[in-house]
Amino acid sequence: EIVMTQSPATLSVSPGERATLSCRASQSVSSNLAWYQQKPGQAPRLLIYGASTRATGIPARFSGSGSGTEFTLTISSLQSEDFAVYYCQQYNNWPITFGQGTRLEIK
Amino acid sequence: QVQLQESGPGLVKPSQTLSLTCTVSGGSISSGNYYWTWFRQPAGKGLEWIGRIYTSGSTNYNPSLKSRVTISVDTSKNQFSLKLNSVTAADTAVYYCARDCSSQGIFDYWGQGTLVTVSS
């Protein structure tokens, strides 16, 4: 199965600043990559699919890029509600797999 | 607005069978080209895909769990279900149901999750 590796494990950023989260696949997943946000006690929320397409209702400050094995999620100006855990997920090969997550915390 | 809700026992004894149901509201489980999916997440860890079902009854399972998992659907009740047999403490997790909106593995609606603890 494809292993997804996220970095860093924890990212400390001040509100209003930019956050850049990385995700690497153990083999090419083309653009079949999604990003999810998860807050404590809540289900994951789809942010990005197709590596760069925002899901319905997702603010424009969230953007995704990359293809093949290297991907990035950028949050351009952090709002208080953005502090959460972020997961990348590949759906190029079954079984689909997730990264271990990046915790975005307030600096 | 589609909503999913997991239900089932929160405590299961080792070696027994874990059984959960996901009830879909706000739309028919049979409409659209969707796969209905189960995930789990052990405390403090990442998400694991368990398997999925189409309303025709066609299923796909994670090879790591395939020998112990059965997913079924009841379209008359707008529900789908998960059975995981021979459970151990390693199966303790929050279990989520979700809708695959693409049939490829993009999940747009999720239940809120239910904690299942395996303990005697």
Side-chain angles (χ1 to χ4, degrees):
Chain A
E1 69 181 39
I2 295 177
V3 177
M4 307 300 292
T5 303
Q6 293 184 242
S7 61
T10 303
L11 182 62
S12 299
V13 183
S14 300
E17 293 189 343
R18 175 189 298 260
T20 302
L21 290 68
S22 297
C23 175
R24 173 177 292 178
S26 60
Q27 64 187 76
S28 176
V29 298
S30 186
S31 294
N32 297 314
L33 190 285
W35 290 94
Y36 297 83
Q37 176 193 68
Q38 188 176 35
K39 296 180 180 179
Q42 296 186 18
R45 174 194 182 196
L46 177 66
L47 299 175
I48 300 282
Y49 63 92
S52 61
T53 302
R54 279 190 302 277
T56 302
I58 301 304
R61 66 180 182 272
F62 290 90
S63 63
S65 63
S67 66
T69 62
E70 301 284 343
F71 300 89
T72 301
L73 174 69
T74 301
I75 312 171
S76 60
S77 178
L78 279 164
Q79 307 297 303
S80 58
E81 62 266 29
D82 300 335
F83 292 96
V85 178
Y86 291 82
Y87 292 97
C88 62
Q89 174 233 320
Q90 68 81 20
Y91 52 95
N92 194 65
N93 288 61
W94 295 92
I96 61 162
T97 49
F98 291 80
Q100 80 281 16
T102 290
R103 180 178 304 278
L104 182 56
E105 63 177 30
I106 300 174
K107 186 174 183 179
Chain B
Q1 177 83 349
V2 173
Q3 293 186 318
L4 294 84
Q5 175 76 54
E6 305 89 350
S7 59
L11 181 64
V12 181
K13 289 182 167 49
S15 80
Q16 295 192 342
T17 296
L18 178 160
S19 296
L20 296 174
T21 296
C22 183
T23 300
V24 179
S25 59
S28 170
I29 199 171
S30 300
S31 67
N33 206 24
Y34 305 123
Y35 277 82
W36 302 93
T37 306
W38 286 99
F39 294 93
R40 68 181 183 179
Q41 185 174 35
K45 297 189 177 181
L47 291 148
E48 181 179 30
W49 175 75
I50 298 172
R52 66 177 189 170
I53 190 164
Y54 193 63
T55 48
S56 65
S58 172
T59 55
N60 301 100
Y61 299 128
N62 192 320
S64 67
L65 297 168
K66 187 174 182 178
S67 63
R68 299 194 291 132
V69 172
T70 302
I71 297 176
S72 59
V73 65
D74 186 336
T75 54
S76 67
K77 294 182 179 180
N78 234 32
Q79 296 176 334
F80 62 107
S81 298
L82 168 70
K83 290 188 185 300
L84 180 67
N85 58 36
S86 305
V87 297
T88 69
D91 295 309
T92 295
V94 175
Y95 285 75
Y96 294 98
C97 57
R99 185 181 84 167
D100 181 348
C101 64
S102 66
S103 78
Q104 299 177 71
I106 302 170
F107 305 96
D108 59 346
Y109 287 101
W110 295 68
Q112 88 283 4
T114 187
L115 174 63
V116 178
T117 302
V118 178
S119 175
S120 55

mmCIF file of all heavy atoms in Angstrom, chain A residues 1 32 36 38 41-44 46 49 87 89 91 94-96 98-100, chain B residues 39 41 45-47 49 52 62-63 96 103-108 110-112:
data_model
loop_
_atom_site.group_PDB
_atom_site.id
_atom_site.type_symbol
_atom_site.label_atom_id
_atom_site.label_comp_id
_atom_site.label_asym_id
_atom_site.label_seq_id
_atom_site.Cartn_x
_atom_site.Cartn_y
_atom_site.Cartn_z
ATOM 1 N N GLU A 1 0.829 -1.187 0.000
ATOM 2 C CA GLU A 1 0.000 0.000 0.000
ATOM 3 C C GLU A 1 0.876 1.253 0.000
ATOM 4 O O GLU A 1 2.053 1.203 0.355
ATOM 5 C CB GLU A 1 -0.950 0.021 1.204
ATOM 6 C CG GLU A 1 -0.295 0.224 2.552
ATOM 7 C CD GLU A 1 -1.301 0.212 3.690
ATOM 8 O OE1 GLU A 1 -2.254 -0.600 3.654
ATOM 9 O OE2 GLU A 1 -1.149 1.023 4.619
ATOM 10 N N ASN A 32 -4.332 12.491 -7.447
ATOM 11 C CA ASN A 32 -5.409 11.884 -6.659
ATOM 12 C C ASN A 32 -5.122 12.014 -5.176
ATOM 13 O O ASN A 32 -4.887 11.031 -4.458
ATOM 14 C CB ASN A 32 -5.610 10.435 -7.083
ATOM 15 C CG ASN A 32 -6.062 10.344 -8.525
ATOM 16 O OD1 ASN A 32 -6.956 11.069 -8.968
ATOM 17 N ND2 ASN A 32 -5.436 9.442 -9.293
ATOM 18 N N TYR A 36 -7.863 16.953 4.416
ATOM 19 C CA TYR A 36 -8.965 17.055 5.367
ATOM 20 C C TYR A 36 -8.497 17.818 6.602
ATOM 21 O O TYR A 36 -7.330 17.738 6.993
ATOM 22 C CB TYR A 36 -9.447 15.671 5.809
ATOM 23 C CG TYR A 36 -10.024 14.831 4.694
ATOM 24 C CD1 TYR A 36 -9.196 14.096 3.846
ATOM 25 C CD2 TYR A 36 -11.390 14.766 4.487
ATOM 26 C CE1 TYR A 36 -9.720 13.342 2.810
ATOM 27 C CE2 TYR A 36 -11.931 13.998 3.461
ATOM 28 C CZ TYR A 36 -11.083 13.299 2.634
ATOM 29 O OH TYR A 36 -11.613 12.545 1.614
ATOM 30 N N GLN A 38 -9.399 18.235 10.694
ATOM 31 C CA GLN A 38 -10.113 17.594 11.797
ATOM 32 C C GLN A 38 -9.879 18.364 13.086
ATOM 33 O O GLN A 38 -8.734 18.569 13.486
ATOM 34 C CB GLN A 38 -9.698 16.130 11.970
ATOM 35 C CG GLN A 38 -10.566 15.385 12.980
ATOM 36 C CD GLN A 38 -10.222 13.919 13.091
ATOM 37 O OE1 GLN A 38 -9.070 13.524 12.984
ATOM 38 N NE2 GLN A 38 -11.237 13.082 13.338
ATOM 39 N N GLY A 41 -12.701 15.981 18.630
ATOM 40 C CA GLY A 41 -14.042 15.477 18.819
ATOM 41 C C GLY A 41 -14.939 15.572 17.606
ATOM 42 O O GLY A 41 -16.142 15.307 17.701
ATOM 43 N N GLN A 42 -14.372 15.945 16.463
ATOM 44 C CA GLN A 42 -15.175 16.090 15.241
ATOM 45 C C GLN A 42 -14.690 15.151 14.151
ATOM 46 O O GLN A 42 -13.563 14.657 14.177
ATOM 47 C CB GLN A 42 -15.114 17.532 14.732
ATOM 48 C CG GLN A 42 -15.712 18.560 15.676
ATOM 49 C CD GLN A 42 -15.747 19.944 15.052
ATOM 50 O OE1 GLN A 42 -15.634 20.116 13.836
ATOM 51 N NE2 GLN A 42 -15.913 20.953 15.901
ATOM 52 N N ALA A 43 -15.567 14.946 13.178
ATOM 53 C CA ALA A 43 -15.188 14.157 12.009
ATOM 54 C C ALA A 43 -14.284 14.983 11.085
ATOM 55 O O ALA A 43 -14.292 16.219 11.140
ATOM 56 C CB ALA A 43 -16.442 13.732 11.249
ATOM 57 N N PRO A 44 -13.540 14.333 10.242
ATOM 58 C CA PRO A 44 -12.763 15.071 9.236
ATOM 59 C C PRO A 44 -13.676 15.856 8.301
ATOM 60 O O PRO A 44 -14.810 15.466 8.052
ATOM 61 C CB PRO A 44 -12.027 13.959 8.473
ATOM 62 C CG PRO A 44 -11.967 12.817 9.431
ATOM 63 C CD PRO A 44 -13.247 12.894 10.207
ATOM 64 N N LEU A 46 -13.651 17.610 4.450
ATOM 65 C CA LEU A 46 -12.953 17.674 3.167
ATOM 66 C C LEU A 46 -12.640 19.128 2.796
ATOM 67 O O LEU A 46 -13.535 19.970 2.762
ATOM 68 C CB LEU A 46 -13.822 17.036 2.075
ATOM 69 C CG LEU A 46 -13.289 17.078 0.650
ATOM 70 C CD1 LEU A 46 -12.019 16.236 0.522
ATOM 71 C CD2 LEU A 46 -14.356 16.583 -0.330
ATOM 72 N N TYR A 49 -9.541 18.363 -3.000
ATOM 73 C CA TYR A 49 -9.417 17.093 -3.708
ATOM 74 C C TYR A 49 -8.793 17.370 -5.064
ATOM 75 O O TYR A 49 -8.688 18.527 -5.496
ATOM 76 C CB TYR A 49 -10.774 16.381 -3.834
ATOM 77 C CG TYR A 49 -11.804 17.143 -4.636
ATOM 78 C CD1 TYR A 49 -11.949 16.933 -6.003
ATOM 79 C CD2 TYR A 49 -12.633 18.081 -4.015
ATOM 80 C CE1 TYR A 49 -12.881 17.637 -6.734
ATOM 81 C CE2 TYR A 49 -13.573 18.794 -4.744
ATOM 82 C CZ TYR A 49 -13.702 18.562 -6.095
ATOM 83 O OH TYR A 49 -14.630 19.263 -6.824
ATOM 84 N N TYR A 87 -4.943 16.236 7.531
ATOM 85 C CA TYR A 87 -4.532 14.948 6.977
ATOM 86 C C TYR A 87 -4.542 15.011 5.453
ATOM 87 O O TYR A 87 -5.476 15.565 4.849
ATOM 88 C CB TYR A 87 -5.499 13.839 7.390
ATOM 89 C CG TYR A 87 -5.478 13.508 8.866
ATOM 90 C CD1 TYR A 87 -6.415 14.061 9.733
ATOM 91 C CD2 TYR A 87 -4.529 12.630 9.390
ATOM 92 C CE1 TYR A 87 -6.407 13.753 11.088
ATOM 93 C CE2 TYR A 87 -4.520 12.320 10.737
ATOM 94 C CZ TYR A 87 -5.456 12.886 11.589
ATOM 95 O OH TYR A 87 -5.447 12.573 12.922
ATOM 96 N N GLN A 89 -4.615 12.471 2.048
ATOM 97 C CA GLN A 89 -5.143 11.144 1.720
ATOM 98 C C GLN A 89 -4.991 10.906 0.234
ATOM 99 O O GLN A 89 -5.382 11.746 -0.581
ATOM 100 C CB GLN A 89 -6.626 11.068 2.105
ATOM 101 C CG GLN A 89 -7.327 9.794 1.678
ATOM 102 C CD GLN A 89 -8.591 10.048 0.879
ATOM 103 O OE1 GLN A 89 -9.360 10.962 1.179
ATOM 104 N NE2 GLN A 89 -8.839 9.236 -0.152
ATOM 105 N N TYR A 91 -5.971 8.682 -3.131
ATOM 106 C CA TYR A 91 -7.008 7.783 -3.641
ATOM 107 C C TYR A 91 -6.645 7.308 -5.043
ATOM 108 O O TYR A 91 -7.513 7.025 -5.867
ATOM 109 C CB TYR A 91 -8.393 8.434 -3.588
ATOM 110 C CG TYR A 91 -8.510 9.803 -4.236
ATOM 111 C CD1 TYR A 91 -8.934 9.944 -5.546
ATOM 112 C CD2 TYR A 91 -8.234 10.956 -3.503
ATOM 113 C CE1 TYR A 91 -9.067 11.188 -6.131
ATOM 114 C CE2 TYR A 91 -8.362 12.210 -4.083
ATOM 115 C CZ TYR A 91 -8.776 12.323 -5.393
ATOM 116 O OH TYR A 91 -8.911 13.574 -5.969
ATOM 117 N N TRP A 94 -5.929 1.482 -4.249
ATOM 118 C CA TRP A 94 -6.603 0.877 -3.099
ATOM 119 C C TRP A 94 -5.645 -0.067 -2.395
ATOM 120 O O TRP A 94 -4.899 -0.786 -3.061
ATOM 121 C CB TRP A 94 -7.854 0.128 -3.561
ATOM 122 C CG TRP A 94 -8.868 1.054 -4.117
ATOM 123 C CD1 TRP A 94 -9.008 1.415 -5.421
ATOM 124 C CD2 TRP A 94 -9.838 1.819 -3.385
ATOM 125 N NE1 TRP A 94 -10.024 2.337 -5.539
ATOM 126 C CE2 TRP A 94 -10.547 2.603 -4.320
ATOM 127 C CE3 TRP A 94 -10.186 1.904 -2.033
ATOM 128 C CZ2 TRP A 94 -11.594 3.458 -3.949
ATOM 129 C CZ3 TRP A 94 -11.217 2.755 -1.666
ATOM 130 C CH2 TRP A 94 -11.901 3.513 -2.607
ATOM 131 N N PRO A 95 -5.648 -0.092 -1.021
ATOM 132 C CA PRO A 95 -6.545 0.700 -0.195
ATOM 133 C C PRO A 95 -6.109 2.161 -0.135
ATOM 134 O O PRO A 95 -4.922 2.472 -0.187
ATOM 135 C CB PRO A 95 -6.403 0.050 1.179
ATOM 136 C CG PRO A 95 -4.998 -0.432 1.208
ATOM 137 C CD PRO A 95 -4.732 -0.906 -0.206
ATOM 138 N N ILE A 96 -7.085 3.068 -0.060
ATOM 139 C CA ILE A 96 -6.736 4.460 0.147
ATOM 140 C C ILE A 96 -6.028 4.575 1.493
ATOM 141 O O ILE A 96 -6.277 3.790 2.406
ATOM 142 C CB ILE A 96 -7.971 5.370 0.105
ATOM 143 C CG1 ILE A 96 -8.953 4.991 1.206
ATOM 144 C CG2 ILE A 96 -8.647 5.302 -1.243
ATOM 145 C CD1 ILE A 96 -9.940 6.090 1.492
ATOM 146 N N PHE A 98 -4.024 7.403 4.437
ATOM 147 C CA PHE A 98 -3.881 8.746 4.981
ATOM 148 C C PHE A 98 -2.486 8.950 5.547
ATOM 149 O O PHE A 98 -1.841 7.981 5.981
ATOM 150 C CB PHE A 98 -4.885 8.978 6.119
ATOM 151 C CG PHE A 98 -6.323 9.041 5.685
ATOM 152 C CD1 PHE A 98 -7.031 7.879 5.435
ATOM 153 C CD2 PHE A 98 -6.977 10.252 5.550
ATOM 154 C CE1 PHE A 98 -8.375 7.926 5.041
ATOM 155 C CE2 PHE A 98 -8.313 10.317 5.175
ATOM 156 C CZ PHE A 98 -9.002 9.141 4.917
ATOM 157 N N GLY A 99 -2.058 10.205 5.595
ATOM 158 C CA GLY A 99 -0.886 10.537 6.359
ATOM 159 C C GLY A 99 -1.203 10.524 7.846
ATOM 160 O O GLY A 99 -2.364 10.393 8.242
ATOM 161 N N GLN A 100 -0.178 10.692 8.643
ATOM 162 C CA GLN A 100 -0.352 10.628 10.092
ATOM 163 C C GLN A 100 -0.828 11.946 10.678
ATOM 164 O O GLN A 100 -1.129 12.025 11.865
ATOM 165 C CB GLN A 100 0.950 10.186 10.763
ATOM 166 C CG GLN A 100 1.981 11.282 10.930
ATOM 167 C CD GLN A 100 2.770 11.613 9.678
ATOM 168 O OE1 GLN A 100 2.397 11.241 8.556
ATOM 169 N NE2 GLN A 100 3.872 12.306 9.844
ATOM 170 N N PHE B 39 -14.578 3.983 8.263
ATOM 171 C CA PHE B 39 -13.216 4.276 8.687
ATOM 172 C C PHE B 39 -13.114 4.040 10.189
ATOM 173 O O PHE B 39 -14.124 3.966 10.885
ATOM 174 C CB PHE B 39 -12.864 5.762 8.466
ATOM 175 C CG PHE B 39 -12.807 6.173 7.041
ATOM 176 C CD1 PHE B 39 -13.923 6.701 6.407
ATOM 177 C CD2 PHE B 39 -11.629 6.078 6.329
ATOM 178 C CE1 PHE B 39 -13.868 7.110 5.088
ATOM 179 C CE2 PHE B 39 -11.557 6.480 5.007
ATOM 180 C CZ PHE B 39 -12.686 6.994 4.394
ATOM 181 N N GLN B 41 -10.377 5.300 13.676
ATOM 182 C CA GLN B 41 -9.273 6.140 14.106
ATOM 183 C C GLN B 41 -8.965 5.836 15.570
ATOM 184 O O GLN B 41 -9.683 6.286 16.463
ATOM 185 C CB GLN B 41 -9.628 7.623 13.920
ATOM 186 C CG GLN B 41 -8.500 8.574 14.235
ATOM 187 C CD GLN B 41 -8.852 10.015 13.900
ATOM 188 O OE1 GLN B 41 -9.999 10.442 14.050
ATOM 189 N NE2 GLN B 41 -7.866 10.778 13.424
ATOM 190 N N LYS B 45 -4.251 8.764 16.768
ATOM 191 C CA LYS B 45 -3.632 8.241 15.550
ATOM 192 C C LYS B 45 -4.391 8.690 14.303
ATOM 193 O O LYS B 45 -5.376 9.411 14.379
ATOM 194 C CB LYS B 45 -3.564 6.717 15.625
ATOM 195 C CG LYS B 45 -2.679 6.215 16.761
ATOM 196 C CD LYS B 45 -2.469 4.721 16.674
ATOM 197 C CE LYS B 45 -1.518 4.253 17.771
ATOM 198 N NZ LYS B 45 -1.282 2.777 17.699
ATOM 199 N N GLY B 46 -3.905 8.243 13.169
ATOM 200 C CA GLY B 46 -4.505 8.617 11.903
ATOM 201 C C GLY B 46 -5.695 7.750 11.531
ATOM 202 O O GLY B 46 -6.114 6.872 12.273
ATOM 203 N N LEU B 47 -6.210 8.021 10.349
ATOM 204 C CA LEU B 47 -7.425 7.359 9.862
ATOM 205 C C LEU B 47 -7.087 6.111 9.062
ATOM 206 O O LEU B 47 -6.125 6.091 8.288
ATOM 207 C CB LEU B 47 -8.205 8.329 8.975
ATOM 208 C CG LEU B 47 -8.813 9.500 9.736
ATOM 209 C CD1 LEU B 47 -8.856 10.746 8.870
ATOM 210 C CD2 LEU B 47 -10.221 9.123 10.204
ATOM 211 N N TRP B 49 -8.948 3.318 6.470
ATOM 212 C CA TRP B 49 -10.097 2.930 5.669
ATOM 213 C C TRP B 49 -10.397 1.450 5.902
ATOM 214 O O TRP B 49 -9.508 0.603 5.768
ATOM 215 C CB TRP B 49 -9.802 3.181 4.195
ATOM 216 C CG TRP B 49 -10.835 2.727 3.234
ATOM 217 C CD1 TRP B 49 -12.042 3.326 2.978
ATOM 218 C CD2 TRP B 49 -10.787 1.577 2.377
ATOM 219 N NE1 TRP B 49 -12.728 2.618 2.012
ATOM 220 C CE2 TRP B 49 -11.980 1.544 1.625
ATOM 221 C CE3 TRP B 49 -9.845 0.576 2.156
ATOM 222 C CZ2 TRP B 49 -12.254 0.548 0.680
ATOM 223 C CZ3 TRP B 49 -10.111 -0.408 1.223
ATOM 224 C CH2 TRP B 49 -11.309 -0.417 0.498
ATOM 225 N N ARG B 52 -15.969 -0.384 1.921
ATOM 226 C CA ARG B 52 -17.054 0.384 1.351
ATOM 227 C C ARG B 52 -18.060 -0.535 0.683
ATOM 228 O O ARG B 52 -17.752 -1.695 0.356
ATOM 229 C CB ARG B 52 -16.520 1.383 0.329
ATOM 230 C CG ARG B 52 -15.899 0.723 -0.910
ATOM 231 C CD ARG B 52 -15.443 1.760 -1.925
ATOM 232 N NE ARG B 52 -15.052 1.137 -3.190
ATOM 233 C CZ ARG B 52 -14.796 1.832 -4.299
ATOM 234 N NH1 ARG B 52 -14.879 3.148 -4.304
ATOM 235 N NH2 ARG B 52 -14.435 1.198 -5.402
ATOM 236 N N ASN B 62 -10.407 -3.294 3.040
ATOM 237 C CA ASN B 62 -8.970 -3.147 3.252
ATOM 238 C C ASN B 62 -8.375 -4.555 3.425
ATOM 239 O O ASN B 62 -8.856 -5.323 4.272
ATOM 240 C CB ASN B 62 -8.713 -2.299 4.492
ATOM 241 C CG ASN B 62 -7.268 -1.858 4.606
ATOM 242 O OD1 ASN B 62 -6.347 -2.619 4.312
ATOM 243 N ND2 ASN B 62 -7.061 -0.634 5.036
ATOM 244 N N PRO B 63 -7.352 -4.881 2.662
ATOM 245 C CA PRO B 63 -6.771 -6.233 2.800
ATOM 246 C C PRO B 63 -6.336 -6.563 4.222
ATOM 247 O O PRO B 63 -6.377 -7.730 4.621
ATOM 248 C CB PRO B 63 -5.565 -6.181 1.850
ATOM 249 C CG PRO B 63 -5.943 -5.171 0.833
ATOM 250 C CD PRO B 63 -6.728 -4.127 1.575
ATOM 251 N N TYR B 96 -16.013 5.814 12.073
ATOM 252 C CA TYR B 96 -16.760 6.795 11.288
ATOM 253 C C TYR B 96 -17.385 6.134 10.056
ATOM 254 O O TYR B 96 -16.743 5.279 9.420
ATOM 255 C CB TYR B 96 -15.842 7.898 10.766
ATOM 256 C CG TYR B 96 -15.217 8.798 11.796
ATOM 257 C CD1 TYR B 96 -13.917 8.583 12.238
ATOM 258 C CD2 TYR B 96 -15.920 9.887 12.304
ATOM 259 C CE1 TYR B 96 -13.323 9.423 13.162
ATOM 260 C CE2 TYR B 96 -15.326 10.734 13.234
ATOM 261 C CZ TYR B 96 -14.030 10.496 13.646
ATOM 262 O OH TYR B 96 -13.445 11.338 14.573
ATOM 263 N N SER B 103 -16.788 7.892 -6.011
ATOM 264 C CA SER B 103 -16.515 6.463 -6.197
ATOM 265 C C SER B 103 -15.016 6.187 -6.267
ATOM 266 O O SER B 103 -14.596 5.038 -6.373
ATOM 267 C CB SER B 103 -17.216 5.882 -7.433
ATOM 268 O OG SER B 103 -16.526 6.238 -8.621
ATOM 269 N N GLN B 104 -14.222 7.245 -6.186
ATOM 270 C CA GLN B 104 -12.763 7.077 -6.254
ATOM 271 C C GLN B 104 -12.109 7.128 -4.886
ATOM 272 O O GLN B 104 -10.951 6.730 -4.746
ATOM 273 C CB GLN B 104 -12.146 8.194 -7.095
ATOM 274 C CG GLN B 104 -12.600 8.268 -8.524
ATOM 275 C CD GLN B 104 -11.969 9.464 -9.191
ATOM 276 O OE1 GLN B 104 -10.763 9.483 -9.454
ATOM 277 N NE2 GLN B 104 -12.760 10.489 -9.458
ATOM 278 N N GLY B 105 -12.823 7.699 -3.925
ATOM 279 C CA GLY B 105 -12.213 7.846 -2.613
ATOM 280 C C GLY B 105 -12.109 9.278 -2.154
ATOM 281 O O GLY B 105 -11.102 9.663 -1.539
ATOM 282 N N ILE B 106 -13.128 10.091 -2.430
ATOM 283 C CA ILE B 106 -13.222 11.463 -1.933
ATOM 284 C C ILE B 106 -14.460 11.513 -1.043
ATOM 285 O O ILE B 106 -15.565 11.242 -1.497
ATOM 286 C CB ILE B 106 -13.350 12.473 -3.081
ATOM 287 C CG1 ILE B 106 -12.155 12.372 -4.035
ATOM 288 C CG2 ILE B 106 -13.473 13.881 -2.527
ATOM 289 C CD1 ILE B 106 -12.333 13.163 -5.324
ATOM 290 N N PHE B 107 -14.276 11.896 0.215
ATOM 291 C CA PHE B 107 -15.340 11.723 1.214
ATOM 292 C C PHE B 107 -15.873 13.075 1.663
ATOM 293 O O PHE B 107 -15.187 13.831 2.351
ATOM 294 C CB PHE B 107 -14.798 10.902 2.385
ATOM 295 C CG PHE B 107 -14.225 9.602 1.910
ATOM 296 C CD1 PHE B 107 -12.874 9.458 1.675
ATOM 297 C CD2 PHE B 107 -15.063 8.533 1.633
ATOM 298 C CE1 PHE B 107 -12.351 8.275 1.191
ATOM 299 C CE2 PHE B 107 -14.556 7.340 1.145
ATOM 300 C CZ PHE B 107 -13.195 7.214 0.926
ATOM 301 N N ASP B 108 -17.114 13.372 1.250
ATOM 302 C CA ASP B 108 -17.654 14.705 1.474
ATOM 303 C C ASP B 108 -18.575 14.812 2.682
ATOM 304 O O ASP B 108 -18.740 15.905 3.233
ATOM 305 C CB ASP B 108 -18.359 15.230 0.211
ATOM 306 C CG ASP B 108 -19.509 14.351 -0.244
ATOM 307 O OD1 ASP B 108 -19.635 13.196 0.232
ATOM 308 O OD2 ASP B 108 -20.281 14.830 -1.089
ATOM 309 N N TRP B 110 -19.543 12.987 6.494
ATOM 310 C CA TRP B 110 -19.087 12.065 7.515
ATOM 311 C C TRP B 110 -20.079 12.054 8.680
ATOM 312 O O TRP B 110 -20.712 13.077 8.980
ATOM 313 C CB TRP B 110 -17.737 12.501 8.071
ATOM 314 C CG TRP B 110 -16.594 12.472 7.111
ATOM 315 C CD1 TRP B 110 -16.407 13.287 6.011
ATOM 316 C CD2 TRP B 110 -15.468 11.617 7.166
ATOM 317 N NE1 TRP B 110 -15.226 12.978 5.383
ATOM 318 C CE2 TRP B 110 -14.624 11.950 6.078
ATOM 319 C CE3 TRP B 110 -15.056 10.597 8.034
ATOM 320 C CZ2 TRP B 110 -13.412 11.291 5.838
ATOM 321 C CZ3 TRP B 110 -13.849 9.954 7.793
ATOM 322 C CH2 TRP B 110 -13.045 10.302 6.699
ATOM 323 N N GLY B 111 -20.168 10.915 9.354
ATOM 324 C CA GLY B 111 -20.838 10.889 10.635
ATOM 325 C C GLY B 111 -19.937 11.510 11.693
ATOM 326 O O GLY B 111 -18.763 11.795 11.432
ATOM 327 N N GLN B 112 -20.473 11.711 12.888
ATOM 328 C CA GLN B 112 -19.689 12.355 13.942
ATOM 329 C C GLN B 112 -18.747 11.386 14.643
ATOM 330 O O GLN B 112 -17.877 11.791 15.409
ATOM 331 C CB GLN B 112 -20.604 13.045 14.971
ATOM 332 C CG GLN B 112 -21.066 12.170 16.125
ATOM 333 C CD GLN B 112 -22.175 11.227 15.728
ATOM 334 O OE1 GLN B 112 -22.583 11.131 14.582
ATOM 335 N NE2 GLN B 112 -22.680 10.498 16.719
#
